[in-house]
Amino acid sequence: MSARFVALVAGIIFFFLAVLTQGVLPFIEPSARTTEVTAVVRTDYGQLKWMLSDATDYTPTQQLGRQIYLREGCWYCHSQYVRPVTGETRRWGPVSEAGEYAYDVPHLFGTRRIGPDLTRVGLKYSNEWHFAHFWNPRELLPDSIMAPYRGLFDTPRDPVKIVDDGAGNRTLENNAVTQKLFDFSSKVQVKLTPNAGGLLFVPLEARDKAPAIIVPNNEYIGNTVMIAAETKELEGLIAYLQKLGMNRGKWRDVFEPQQLEVTQATLPRSSEWIAYGRVVYERRCVGCHGAKGDGNGPAATFLYRQRPRSFAAAVFKFRLTKEPVPTDGDLLRTITRGVRGTAMPPWYELPLTDRLAVIQYIKYELAVDRSDPAKPYSFFIEEPPGAPLHIQRPPTPSQQILVRGKEVWQIAKCWECHGNTGRGDGEKAAGLKDDLGFPIPPADLTTGQFKSGPAVEDIFRTMTTGLSGTPMPNYRDSLPEEDRWALAYYVLSLSAFTDPITGEPLPIAPADRTALNDPKLQADTPDKAYIPNGRAQRTGGSKAARGSPRGAAAAKQP
């Protein structure tokens, strides 16, 4: 018997064994029968704690997306499993748990990772980022080898004319094509902006609205556009991606690589670093922010809810300075953390020198007023940032602080924009615009996706400095410090014990809610997760484990 024959027989046996174990047995006897997972919740006092919870099944829309994911072969390149090694957990997030796969039959663990692992991709990017990514991945990531998925869009063959609506506003021609995408009889408008090449993205939410084409800064000067419209399949696929990892709750808010705190970090100004920063910018940033830094990159039309930042006016939302110009530390914090709920992703995986270099390019090449070519005005040279503001240690949270915070919410009239419950549906919400003339919706505070960061210090910083370029004012002079702290705690409480995707309340018993609200309760890692009383009783947990952190060592509270 030759070695070749033995190898052939062994290969055939192992092939059919793989088919049996990977293809047949999961349907007959799924290995994951438990839905138990550990998840991060935000308490009423703004603390983030792990607790034992249950994974939830996919919604019909998410299930449709999973079918599209399978059909399009996304799982060929993308794995869905975080292994228990340091490199994995610092790149992707917490280690995978069996309960996360309770509703995944067949499972999509994968091994190849030609593309990034997607186990924790949920809410890392906004829906708008995904729209742009599926249209042309290389607009966002030039080194991506992923193919465009333009077949998921509705792309009419012929261009559509931009016309006057009779009231001096620009709209689209009312024809057989556009009637399928809009309701021209509606009094509610959806405001859309083409990119510089004339591509116009149309979301599904436009179906019951009339189109309004807005180009307040001459973002597009043509008279016709090509349309790329969202479809139900695309909606489902993105909903599925946003679900991945979210059975672990608000875990990203405790993800250490995104918790950068810095007041000052910089590189010496030099032509070499600026030139290198330009290389980084053109590879990582130009797709959204544009070659000129004006926020009008080719992907910008997909970002219809919140336009990319224009660097030309040197107006930055997130800073810890009294003056509008931020420090390098402020910019580094934003680039590293990203801006939650928007298309600006976290760039913690980018080398630190790359992040610092691109800051130099933004400061000295893009944040320059060139309206007078003979006398360009460099904001960071002419108006250097002042010293960072000092933020003291936050007061210990309490029910009294939350009560005062709710009173300050009324006094400061936060409800006019954010609504009485913080969902971003206040009476003034529909008419808000940023400094460039684009609509800017108030944040839905119930989801807990805070642009400036998830900690009470981050919210306090926003209350103190405001968000430059937006209708969000600063309260540094109008509210005393103790009221700003109270308001910050109250804002965090609006997303307490809520689902990070829907913002809906989680099913948590009052006794468990009270226990989790105890500042002395330590549940800062999955192995110390709080075990609800009812679950401990169902699983036969010891009396010491009920309503306490997980594990014997963690059962002792300080």
Side-chain angles (χ1 to χ4, degrees):
M1 184 180 296
S2 67
R4 180 177 296 180
F5 178 76
V6 172
L8 176 63
V9 172
I12 293 173
I13 292 173
F14 281 118
F15 171 79
F16 283 104
L17 181 62
V19 171
L20 176 66
T21 58
Q22 299 292 308
V24 178
L25 289 183
F27 283 98
I28 299 174
E29 186 69 24
S31 59
R33 290 191 175 278
T34 178
T35 61
E36 188 175 277
V37 293
T38 55
V40 176
V41 295
R42 176 175 285 112
T43 71
D44 290 315
Y45 297 145
Q47 295 177 305
L48 294 160
K49 298 182 180 180
W50 288 90
M51 69 171 292
L52 209 59
S53 182
D54 284 303
T56 57
D57 199 355
Y58 299 108
T59 66
T61 299
Q62 293 164 354
Q63 187 62 50
L64 170 64
R66 191 171 193 273
Q67 294 169 6
I68 304 302
Y69 185 92
L70 286 163
R71 185 193 74 188
E72 297 297 333
C74 305
W75 53 281
Y76 295 159
C77 299
H78 296 285
S79 59
Q80 290 188 26
Y81 191 84
V82 179
R83 301 168 179 87
V85 293
T86 303
E88 298 262 303
T89 56
R90 284 194 60 82
R91 187 178 185 188
W92 310 117
V95 176
S96 295
E97 294 179 348
E100 295 184 76
Y101 303 97
Y103 303 103
D104 286 357
V105 178
H107 69 70
L108 300 173
F109 291 156
T111 57
R112 300 188 71 193
R113 287 191 178 172
I114 295 172
D117 187 272
L118 299 182
T119 314
R120 303 282 175 253
V121 74
L123 299 187
K124 181 177 182 180
Y125 308 99
S126 69
N127 288 357
E128 292 102 314
W129 186 94
H130 285 292
F131 291 139
H133 188 240
F134 282 119
W135 179 259
N136 185 357
R138 276 166 289 286
E139 283 183 352
L140 302 176
L141 303 169
D143 51 354
S144 173
I145 61 172
M146 177 173 157
Y149 281 81
R150 295 183 182 179
L152 295 175
F153 293 80
D154 183 1
T155 54
R157 182 184 61 183
D158 298 322
V160 176
K161 291 182 180 179
I162 299 176
V163 298
D164 191 290
D165 67 354
N169 302 311
R170 306 182 81 191
T171 186
L172 295 178
E173 181 182 27
N174 188 343
N175 57 33
V177 171
T178 55
Q179 286 174 5
K180 296 177 181 178
L181 303 175
F182 304 98
D183 180 1
F184 284 87
S185 64
S186 175
K187 295 182 180 180
V188 180
Q189 292 183 327
V190 57
K191 297 179 180 180
L192 305 172
T193 302
N195 67 13
L199 179 69
L200 180 69
F201 173 68
V202 178
L204 278 175
E205 66 182 66
R207 295 296 192 268
D208 60 347
K209 301 179 179 66
I213 305 301
I214 60 168
V215 285
N217 308 289
N218 294 323
E219 285 76 13
Y220 177 62
I221 59 176
N223 295 316
T224 61
V225 293
M226 296 300 297
I227 288 179
E230 182 185 4
T231 62
K232 286 290 185 181
E233 286 192 346
L234 185 59
E235 177 191 40
L237 179 55
I238 293 176
Y240 169 69
L241 293 175
Q242 298 291 30
K243 169 70 171 176
L244 295 180
M246 289 299 99
N247 279 319
R248 306 298 294 278
K250 294 178 169 64
W251 70 270
R252 193 172 293 279
D253 290 345
V254 295
F255 190 38
E256 192 272 334
Q258 283 186 236
Q259 301 306 307
L260 178 71
E261 289 289 351
V262 59
T263 55
Q264 187 57 277
T266 189
L267 290 172
R269 182 186 174 190
S270 68
S271 57
E272 291 80 8
W273 280 121
I274 292 174
Y276 182 60
R278 178 172 185 168
V279 173
V280 176
Y281 181 88
E282 290 177 347
R283 288 193 64 78
R284 307 293 182 179
C285 315
V286 73
C288 294
H289 294 284
K292 299 179 181 179
D294 57 1
N296 194 34
T301 185
F302 297 95
L303 316 185
Y304 67 100
R305 285 186 176 273
Q306 297 190 57
R307 292 279 297 188
R309 172 69 26 202
S310 171
F311 300 121
V315 177
F316 299 88
K317 294 180 181 178
F318 311 110
R319 67 186 194 281
L320 191 55
T321 57
K322 185 176 181 180
E323 293 77 17
V325 178
T327 65
D328 286 18
D330 291 326
L331 296 176
L332 179 62
R333 182 178 59 245
T334 299
I335 292 172
T336 303
R337 291 182 172 191
V339 182
R340 297 291 304 281
T342 77
M344 175 63 180
W347 290 103
Y348 55 85
E349 294 182 55
L350 204 63
L352 179 60
T353 51
D354 285 15
R355 285 175 272 160
L356 292 173
V358 80
I359 288 171
Q360 302 305 305
Y361 179 66
I362 291 171
K363 287 170 57 177
Y364 299 118
E365 291 295 326
L366 299 181
V368 179
D369 182 356
R370 304 183 190 277
S371 56
D372 183 354
K375 295 181 179 181
Y377 187 88
S378 179
F379 290 94
F380 280 87
I381 295 175
E382 303 294 338
E383 305 173 22
L389 297 171
H390 175 66
I391 294 182
Q392 299 182 17
R393 292 176 62 87
T396 302
S398 65
Q399 187 60 36
Q400 290 74 20
I401 286 181
L402 291 184
V403 171
R404 179 54 184 168
K406 188 173 183 179
E407 294 173 350
V408 177
W409 173 276
Q410 296 294 325
I411 294 170
K413 297 185 177 180
C414 305
W415 51 270
E416 289 186 338
C417 298
H418 293 283
N420 290 323
T421 60
R423 289 190 173 273
D425 55 359
E427 59 187 38
K428 292 185 177 180
L432 296 179
K433 295 182 179 181
D434 63 17
D435 285 2
L436 297 179
F438 290 103
I440 181 167
D444 180 352
L445 303 174
T446 63
T447 64
Q449 289 201 75
F450 301 108
K451 296 183 178 68
S452 61
V456 68
E457 294 90 342
D458 297 315
I459 309 300
F460 177 85
R461 183 178 66 243
T462 297
M463 302 300 176
T464 301
T465 64
L467 298 179
S468 297
T470 79
M472 175 67 188
N474 74 72
Y475 293 100
R476 184 173 58 250
D477 299 323
S478 58
L479 292 177
E481 183 173 320
E482 56 269 24
D483 280 356
R484 277 178 273 144
W485 281 117
L487 182 57
Y489 273 115
Y490 178 72
V491 167
L492 285 177
S493 73
L494 295 174
S495 60
F497 304 105
T498 59
D499 184 278
I501 294 180
T502 65
E504 296 298 321
L506 296 173
I508 296 179
D512 293 321
R513 184 166 184 153
T514 299
L516 285 162
N517 279 335
D518 184 355
K520 295 181 180 179
L521 176 68
Q522 298 295 313
D524 55 350
T525 58
D527 61 307
K528 297 179 182 177
Y530 171 83
I531 303 177
N533 264 299
R535 181 178 297 276
Q537 293 164 3
R538 290 198 305 272
T539 58
S542 68
K543 188 172 183 180
R546 297 174 188 172
S548 69
R550 198 178 192 180
K556 297 181 180 179
Q557 301 175 24

